[in-house]
Each structure stands twice: as structure tokens, then as C-alpha cells.
Amino acid sequence: MTLKAPELLLPAGSLDKMRAAYDFGADAVYAGQPRYSLRARNNEFRLEQIAQGIEEAHARGKKFFVTSNLIAHNDKVRTYLRDIEPVIDCKPDAFIMADPGLIMMVKEKWPETEIHLSVQANTTNYATVKFWQKAGVSRIILSRELSLDEIEKIRQECPDMELEVFVHGALCIAYSGRCLLSGYFNRRDPNQGTCTNACRWEYKTHDAAVDPNTGEALATGMDKGFNFEQAREEADSQFTSTCGSGARHPKADQVYLIEEVGRPGELMPIMEDEHGTYIMNSKDLRAVEHVERLVKIGVDSLKIEGRTKSLYYVARTAQVYRRAIDDAVAGRPFNPHLITELEGLANRGYTGGLLERRPANDYQNYETGNSVLQRAHFVGEVRGYENGMAEVETKNRFQVGDTLEIIHPQGNRQVKLETMFNLDGAPVQVAQGSPVRVRIPLEGPVEGALIARLL
């Protein structure tokens, strides 16, 4: 059986990241206008950059998708067609959209425009795929909440519809990004592109009880004149929620107050029932080991999340997943070293997510909300090369004696750093972080290479 290679789709938060994605194996990138995509922050793409990106992509025989996937309020509906028209004139290969009303408006005015349905639309079954197909959508980005078997069933039921699946990147605790935590804690709406990742903050919990007179949740001991134990008993007698046996769970409807470490003294109420507190910190998705199955299923595009991630992240993920796709199409067995290479990226721990059914605690990282370096640390970019010496713009600290990984589209290699010089030619032992420039001896293809320090 001849297998079709799926498109490898990478995020582009800037033109430099777009170029790196293409250099390291991407077939397409996606970028978005800040006002109408869910990456309003850390997004360098304005109309000028979108036009330039599309021109460069097409000159390289690559594709460029524009993300326009917010769930719009009336004010943005009012301005949408006006603002999207000059982007359409740039001729991107498709728009990634989620709002049914905006999709309808675009298809009515520009019926030939390709629309890819965003993961924000939460497509989880083949009937929904068929609905959107009738509405003129050409590709469905399937919900992250699907298993491999469910994806295969959708492929079987919808053989003539393009399907796209996320294979790497951050996971959200809500259905494909429909989360209200950031809006609740910070008044910054995730569905308008301003998520603060409140689910990943570090919290402390405080016991609390509800004042039956006001309904306010108060920390135990805050009001010496209030009998919290009596209030709990009175509240308990009013609730009838049960667990599977029919008996009321001892923790059902318990009220707690949480305190974010960066804002001491601000206590925010949460409820805990038999399922937990719902303040979670998901591990990162890594599905490189499932690429072969997805290729055999016939998925059309494999997508990597991370428009706010670094140039190093874009290059490393593009390179690794390119190899995984090429191996799968050629019939070669999965190379476990690809998993090791992904450990070179800072991560919150990896999970296959809901592609594979595992216990619920496998999806969560209970130890830290920050990404942790496991194998390597991105330390520099090669900006020039002459007479066997590479000029490196440093991003993080490294020093003589370190083992460096040179990451290049033609292949990676490791070198032991024996000597290093500043731009005046004087020897130095340590390269501090950005924006220092140093020269180091390197052989082979290095122009445009990224450098990581192995831990």
C-alpha cells in the first residue's frame, strides 16, 4: 500500500520563525492577525508581515494559512469584513476560522476562499464534519479530545474531507481552548486571544466555609465570630449530591479558597466535588510515536501548536516530525531517538493526550506549572561563518568545555567546545546571555544553524 505523506503544519509567530519552519521541513505555516486570532500577544504579524510571509511561502512552493479563529462579539463582527479584505487580497492558501457567523459572511462575499475549521469549533464526530462540509469548509481541524480510533472512524465516514490533527504542543484544560479561568482571574478573555494561562499558575489552598447569611466563602478563622463547623454541617444537610454508590461523597460540594503565589492575600473561591477542583495544569502533547498510525489512517495534515514559542522550538519540532512522517511513509520503523530529541525542548512533561486512553492523572503535571529543561538548553544562533569560525549570537549562557548540539536542516551533530573568542579575537571562557556575540570553531554546514547546550 502506498501511503500519502500528510502536510506538516508549523506555527509562525514571526517571519524568522516561518523561515525556520520551512528550512527544517514544514510544508505550511499558520499565522494570525492579532485582533482576530487567539494569539493577540507575542504576535508580530500585521498586514505587511502577512503579505510578505505569503509571498515568501509561495516563492518556496510552501503554503501559508491565516488564523482568524476568535469567537466574535458584535463589535468585531462589525469590523471583520473591512479588516479581512486586504488579507484576502494577499491570497493566503486558507483561513482558519471558528465562528459560524464569520464563516458565513466570508463565504457569501468571497465564495472561493478556502476555510479550515479551527479546533476551537470542537469537532468531535463525523456528522459535524459533514455539516461543515455542506457549509463550504474544505478542512476540519479535529478536536484534541479525540482518540486515534475516533479519528479513524471520522476518516472512514468522511473520505473526501480534509482532516487535520494536532500532534505536539500545549494542551488546554478546557475543550480545545474554551476556558474561562483567565477571564475569571484576570479579566482577560481566552476566547478573544488574551489568555494568561491561569491554569498553570501555582496555587495554595485554604479551607473555607460558606456564610449562610451572605453566601460568601470565607477562610476558616478569618471571622472569629462565625462558627464555620456549624455552617458546614448546616450546608451539608442541604445537599443531596451522590457518588456512584448512592451515598454522598464526603468531599462533595466542599468550598475552598485558592491563593495564587504571585498575589498573596487574594483568596478566590473554588468548589470541589467528587471529581476534583478543576484547577489543572496539563502536560504537553507529544504524538510523534503516533505519526505512523495517523499516516495510515489518512490524516491530511499534522499540526504543531506554539505561535508564541521560540525559533528553537519551531526548528526542533519541524525537524523531528518531518523525520517521523518520512519514516512512516517509507515504511521504516519508528525511531525512538525522536522522543529523545524532543526532550531537548523545555516542556511540562509529555503525554499522548486523548489520542490514547490513559488514567486521568497521566494528563496532568502536579509538580510545576513551568516548562522544565530535560536534555538541552537553546543557547545561540549562527549569524555568520568565515574561515572555520562561526559567529554566534547568544541567547543563553554557555562556556568552554560544554557539549553543544549544532541543529541544522542538513543534519545535527554534537561538538565539545574547546575554545571561544570575542569579536575582537580575544579568548573568552564564558558567553553570557543575549545580546553577546562570540566566535567558535565549527566544521561542516553551519550557516543558519541553531545551537543547544546539552545538559
Side-chain angles (χ1 to χ4, degrees):
M1 179 178 68
T2 302
L3 296 176
K4 174 187 173 184
E7 167 190 276
L8 177 58
L9 177 57
L10 267 289
S14 69
L15 288 170
D16 283 343
K17 294 174 188 176
M18 176 198 76
R19 294 168 188 137
Y22 293 145
D23 288 344
F24 282 87
D27 301 301
V29 301
Y30 60 101
Q33 283 182 297
R35 179 170 167 81
Y36 299 107
S37 76
L38 296 192
R39 290 294 181 271
R41 300 178 297 128
N42 302 320
N43 185 349
E44 295 183 14
F45 279 94
R46 303 296 188 271
L47 180 61
E48 180 182 354
Q49 287 78 20
I50 289 174
Q52 184 177 346
I54 293 169
E55 182 179 355
E56 289 188 25
H58 292 171
R60 298 176 69 153
K62 306 285 187 176
K63 292 185 177 181
F64 188 107
F65 305 141
V66 173
T67 304
S68 187
N69 64 339
L70 90 165
I71 306 300
H73 290 243
N74 287 332
D75 186 57
K76 289 185 177 177
V77 173
R78 180 179 57 84
T79 61
Y80 187 74
L81 292 182
R82 178 199 70 194
D83 292 347
I84 211 72
E85 184 167 12
V87 183
I88 287 178
D89 290 340
C90 295
K91 294 182 170 50
D93 294 281
F95 284 88
I96 300 171
M97 302 180 67
D99 190 297
L102 298 185
I103 292 172
M104 176 188 70
M105 291 164 63
V106 169
K107 293 300 286 186
E108 285 178 348
K109 188 167 183 179
W110 300 285
E112 300 305 313
T113 300
E114 291 282 327
I115 303 294
H116 295 175
L117 188 70
S118 170
V119 72
Q120 293 296 123
N122 309 123
T123 303
T124 57
N125 63 77
Y126 58 82
T128 303
V129 173
K130 292 179 178 179
F131 168 85
W132 284 110
Q133 188 172 19
K134 288 183 178 180
V137 170
S138 59
R139 178 187 294 186
I140 303 294
I141 305 167
L142 294 174
S143 175
R144 290 182 177 94
E145 287 70 35
L146 292 175
S147 69
L148 290 165
D149 289 344
E150 289 174 308
I151 293 170
E152 184 169 23
K153 178 64 173 177
I154 291 173
R155 174 78 291 165
Q156 292 169 351
E157 295 290 336
C158 308
D160 55 346
M161 186 61 160
E162 289 188 20
L163 301 179
E164 182 175 306
V165 172
F166 274 96
V167 291
H168 196 92
L171 289 171
C172 185
I173 66 166
Y175 245 70
S176 293
R178 289 177 176 260
C179 176
L180 299 176
L181 286 181
S182 177
Y184 175 66
F185 292 143
N186 290 81
R187 307 297 187 267
R188 289 171 64 168
D189 188 348
N191 295 319
Q192 298 299 308
T194 54
C195 182
T196 58
N197 297 117
C199 60
R200 305 196 194 282
W201 297 347
E202 181 181 350
Y203 295 95
K204 297 177 180 178
T205 59
H206 300 270
D207 286 339
V210 177
D211 183 334
N213 298 315
T214 65
E216 182 181 6
L218 299 173
T220 302
M222 284 179 62
D223 183 349
K224 299 299 183 183
F226 182 64
N227 188 330
F228 284 89
E229 292 304 319
Q230 179 182 346
R232 276 189 182 144
E233 291 176 4
E234 291 175 356
D236 285 348
S237 67
Q238 299 174 22
F239 291 116
T240 58
S241 61
T242 62
C243 52
S245 63
R248 187 175 180 281
H249 193 281
K251 288 188 176 181
D253 306 301
Q254 176 61 54
V255 178
Y256 293 92
L257 295 168
I258 58 171
E259 178 185 26
E260 202 272 314
V261 295
R263 294 184 289 176
E266 286 190 43
L267 303 182
M268 298 168 282
I270 58 170
M271 295 288 290
E272 178 176 281
D273 65 11
E274 63 268 27
H275 302 295
T277 63
Y278 308 105
I279 303 297
M280 293 179 282
N281 171 43
S282 175
K283 293 180 181 178
D284 292 336
L285 173 65
R286 183 201 68 208
V288 67
E289 60 269 48
H290 300 302
V291 166
E292 182 180 7
R293 173 84 187 276
L294 290 166
V295 169
K296 289 180 177 177
I297 287 172
V299 170
D300 297 280
S301 180
L302 302 184
K303 186 172 190 174
I304 292 170
E305 182 275 341
R307 276 182 282 158
T308 62
K309 298 290 182 68
S310 69
L311 183 75
Y312 172 60
Y313 172 93
V314 171
R316 176 76 83 174
T317 53
Q319 186 181 61
V320 168
Y321 281 87
R322 177 79 271 155
R323 291 176 184 167
I325 291 171
D326 292 346
D327 286 346
V329 172
R332 293 187 290 267
F334 174 68
N335 181 0
H337 183 67
L338 297 180
I339 292 177
T340 303
E341 291 201 19
L342 291 174
E343 292 294 342
L345 298 170
N347 62 82
R348 298 180 177 91
Y350 285 126
T351 176
L354 293 166
L355 290 171
E356 49 185 354
R357 299 302 186 186
R358 291 188 175 184
N361 61 0
D362 179 71
Y363 308 133
Q364 305 303 323
N365 180 348
Y366 297 105
E367 298 178 1
T368 175
N370 299 318
S371 295
V372 177
L373 294 165
Q374 305 286 349
R375 176 179 173 268
H377 195 192
F378 176 43
V379 295
E381 299 177 39
V382 175
R383 295 301 193 186
Y385 186 72
E386 186 176 1
N387 299 325
M389 300 293 291
E391 183 176 322
V392 178
E393 180 181 310
T394 64
K395 301 299 181 182
N396 289 289
R397 185 182 186 275
F398 64 100
Q399 63 186 18
V400 172
D402 285 342
T403 299
L404 304 180
E405 183 176 20
I406 313 303
I407 303 161
H408 192 272
Q410 294 183 29
N412 301 346
R413 62 192 185 280
Q414 296 179 13
V415 298
K416 183 74 173 288
L417 183 60
E418 303 289 354
T419 58
M420 180 164 52
F421 305 89
N422 64 23
L423 296 188
D424 294 326
V428 293
Q429 291 296 306
V430 177
Q432 300 296 342
S434 183
V436 173
R437 290 204 180 200
V438 295
R439 289 192 175 99
I440 63 174
L442 286 178
E443 298 296 331
V446 295
E447 292 195 59
L450 307 179
I451 299 177
R453 176 175 61 87
L454 297 183
L455 303 179

